[in-house]
Amino acid sequence: MRPKENIEKFVRVRKPHVTTSRQMDKRTLNDSFAAMEQTIRAKPADHKPSTARIITLSRMMKLTAAAAVIIVGISLFIAHQGPSEKGGTTRVLEVAESPSEIMTMKSLTIAYRRGGIKGIENQCEKALKILGPQPASISLGDLFNGSNG
Amino acid sequence: MVEDKILVWKFNRGSKDALRRIYEKYKDDLLGLAITLLRDRSLAEDVVHDVFVSFAGTAGAFHLSGTLKGYLSTCVANSARDRNRLRSGRDAGPDVVEAAGSNSTGPMERAIGREESGQLNDLLARLSYEQREVIVLHLHHGMRFREIAKALGISINTVQSRYRYGLDKLRSILNSVVTK
């Protein structure tokens, strides 16, 4: 009885050494080249994978894309829901009650942003209305000191 | 292995030289496999031809997961099985032995090769097609049982049992030849 290894060796060393004929090589290569050209001509876009395909194929790209989407989402949320300059101005203006507060640089800047020179004029008129008629010789400091400034 | 990866990369970009190199590298092995399985040289040549033409048709989208030789051997084995079913048991006979060794280099080598491969072919011809397929893929083409099972779409236990029964049968045939 031959051992298993001997049989395996017997089969392995008797592997047939065959070579193809020239006719077969020519026929096979010609037909293969034709099939290859036909395939490449039929779908040239396949060589350049789309962005969506790149993202779905690569795990790293998936994570990057997800992170980018989250960042953009958060940015948009902050831009729409966060404190706007307009809201901030309203709050400042609502708080500013005394003429000195109304005439601060911050209040005037906000007024200018909202309505330009006209806005500053309105702001000044508002302060003057609260102060009422005053003598022309009074200094700016005394003017505001005398009215809850 | 690395060379194959580079060849496949070039092949996917439409390189004819890469396709030619792949063909020249594996044509003899694949033809040998087809001849052993089918025992008919002209049928075997058709099988190898069809496998390469369909392989060329995958240019640009071919994805290699294992070895290129394993992939092509599997294609040849599957195509040979289909051809074998089609011819429904018709056997090529002794001319196959002549065909298998006919293209060896020197006259002495040709004679020895013809005798040895002919002896093996005669023995393998007495096995069932399925047993012959598993034995040749494992011993001549270095495919693992797991790879063969995956390629043929059968369980690894089936592959192992076919291999074992095939070798047992070969052994008993050889023993009977020795005792005669």
Side-chain angles (χ1 to χ4, degrees):
Chain A
M1 198 74 171
R2 285 166 185 265
K4 186 187 167 189
E5 290 73 28
N6 284 357
I7 293 288
E8 286 178 331
K9 193 180 173 188
F10 174 82
V11 175
R12 199 173 275 135
V13 297
R14 280 163 179 77
K15 181 182 177 180
H17 295 287
V18 186
T19 48
T20 56
S21 62
R22 276 187 193 169
Q23 290 90 344
M24 182 197 165
D25 291 347
K26 196 178 174 187
R27 183 171 69 107
T28 308
L29 282 174
N30 286 343
D31 292 352
S32 298
F33 291 155
M36 190 180 184
E37 276 175 14
Q38 199 178 346
T39 308
I40 288 168
R41 230 182 291 127
K43 39 181 181 180
D46 282 6
H47 289 285
K48 221 176 189 179
S50 64
T51 311
R53 190 169 161 73
I54 290 169
I55 290 170
T56 49
L57 282 179
S58 164
R59 196 182 168 188
M60 200 66 195
M61 288 303 292
K62 273 183 202 171
L63 289 172
T64 312
V69 168
I70 290 167
I71 289 167
V72 168
I74 290 170
S75 304
L76 286 173
F77 179 79
I78 289 170
H80 284 281
Q81 300 294 321
S84 65
E85 200 170 81
K86 197 173 177 180
T89 310
T90 312
R91 232 180 354 254
V92 169
L93 289 176
E94 279 170 359
V95 171
E97 286 175 352
S98 69
S100 58
E101 282 173 348
I102 289 170
M103 294 305 288
T104 56
M105 278 306 293
K106 194 175 177 183
S107 295
L108 290 172
T109 308
I110 292 165
Y112 177 76
R113 281 188 188 160
R114 289 182 70 191
I117 298 296
K118 186 79 180 166
I120 292 175
E121 281 175 3
N122 291 340
Q123 188 89 341
C124 292
E125 275 176 21
K126 193 179 173 187
L128 290 171
K129 259 185 200 173
I130 295 168
L131 289 169
Q134 296 289 335
S137 60
I138 193 167
S139 68
L140 207 60
D142 293 336
L143 183 69
F144 291 128
N145 280 337
S147 60
N148 200 24
Chain B
M1 186 68 185
V2 176
E3 189 200 2
D4 284 353
K5 293 267 182 194
I6 294 167
L7 285 174
V8 166
W9 186 83
K10 287 181 178 173
F11 164 70
N12 271 332
R13 273 143 192 84
S15 165
K16 282 183 181 177
D17 285 342
L19 180 58
R20 186 193 301 275
R21 178 79 190 98
I22 291 169
Y23 174 75
E24 282 169 358
K25 194 173 174 184
Y26 294 116
K27 60 177 184 170
D28 294 342
D29 265 357
L30 296 176
L31 185 63
L33 170 64
I35 286 175
T36 310
L37 291 175
L38 292 167
R39 296 178 47 75
D40 184 325
R41 187 173 174 114
S42 63
L43 258 185
E45 285 185 351
D46 285 348
V47 164
V48 175
H49 169 271
D50 292 353
V51 164
F52 268 98
V53 171
S54 60
F55 171 67
T58 63
F62 179 72
H63 178 68
L64 183 64
S65 54
T67 62
L68 186 57
K69 188 185 176 186
Y71 170 78
L72 292 170
S73 300
T74 303
C75 291
V76 167
N78 288 335
S79 183
R81 197 179 325 114
D82 293 342
R83 297 270 176 158
N84 193 51
R85 278 185 199 138
L86 280 175
R87 73 177 172 178
S88 61
R90 185 174 60 84
D91 213 286
D95 63 309
V96 174
V97 178
E98 176 68 23
S102 61
N103 287 314
S104 300
T105 48
M108 185 65 91
E109 284 176 353
R110 197 183 305 163
I112 294 167
R114 192 184 301 161
E115 192 183 333
E116 287 190 343
S117 61
Q119 190 184 5
L120 179 67
N121 267 324
D122 285 345
L123 288 169
L124 289 173
R126 294 165 77 171
L127 304 180
S128 73
Y129 182 87
E130 288 76 17
Q131 288 171 347
R132 192 160 69 229
E133 184 179 48
V134 170
I135 287 173
V136 170
L137 285 175
H138 182 63
L139 293 179
H140 287 176
H141 292 266
M143 287 176 73
R144 293 174 184 174
F145 291 133
R146 193 175 59 244
E147 289 175 313
I148 297 170
K150 195 181 170 189
L152 303 180
I154 51 179
S155 75
I156 192 165
N157 291 333
T158 308
V159 172
Q160 284 171 330
S161 70
R162 281 179 187 176
Y163 180 76
R164 196 170 57 246
Y165 284 122
L167 285 190
D168 285 347
K169 196 170 176 182
L170 274 182
R171 190 185 296 123
S172 66
I173 293 166
L174 280 171
N175 283 340
S176 70
V177 169
V178 170
T179 51
K180 271 181 190 174

